Amino acid sequence: MFLVAISGPPGAGKGTQSKLLVQEFGFEYISTGEALRREMAMSTEVGKQIKMLMDQGNLVSDEIVTDIVRDVVKESIEKNARGILFDGYPRTVPQAMLLDEIIEENNIDFIGMIGLEVDENVLINRILLRGKTSGRNDDNEESVKRRLDEYYEKTEPVLDYCKLNGKYFGVDGEGEVDEIHQSINDIIKTYI
Ligand code: B4P
């Protein structure tokens, strides 16, 4: 089974590109952001904890997120899926190390991490625009700044970690959605 991860700062277009990749390659898909929003909507004890962190633009704990990811990998293996696409995971170096363990335990073929590269002003504009209709409490100026800080501090080191292993593929995330999709396709198609 193949595994591809898509990363990038908040608003880089991870969700947008993931939908197109799932159509193209028929991979199983997990957005940790969406999975956490679903848990949050259930108002469980964990959901309340998640809401507090996410609304302020903070990352959720590695333990909570990794439990979600492990379940998806297990289900995908049981289904005999062709591949899995991770959207927004791993977002910290400990998550990346846990992912390495999951890959090894399950004999997964990790293609690598696709990193969408987008200028900060473009990101802020996209998120504030999305905030007008998304209903998301973290799509406001204050949370976006916090999310960007979290990204630079905790997620950028993951890109370096993947680069060291020759598993990072940077893609220009500005421009037309279809063009960006094509660039990502070209990378994945050289591996499958
Ligand atoms: P996420 O839900 O992963 O996502 P996001 O950063 O908000 O946005 P994304 O990059 O998917 O952008 P989109 O396609 O929507 O994260 C939310 C929160 O979840 C995090 O802050 C964190 O708290 C938590 N979380 C998630 N994973 C976690 C983990 N592993 N560990 C800990 N915490 C975690 O695009 C944005 C906008 O731009 C859209 O309106 C879109 O239409 C537009 N757009 C996209 N591509 C465009 C293009 N090419 N041109 C113009 N506009 C474009």
Side-chain angles (χ1 to χ4, degrees), residues 10 13-16 32 37 58 60 88 91 95 130 136 147 175:
K14 299 181 287 292
T16 305
T32 42
R37 283 189 284 279
N58 293 309
V60 175
R91 248 178 168 99
Q95 288 180 18
R130 181 175 69 182
R136 278 175 55 173
R147 285 160 68 191

Side-chain angles (χ1 to χ4, degrees), residues 174-188:
E174 291 181 42
E176 295 299 321
V177 169
D178 285 349
E179 283 168 13
I180 301 166
H181 173 59
Q182 202 46 57
S183 306
I184 302 175
N185 272 5
D186 291 346
I187 296 167
I188 297 179

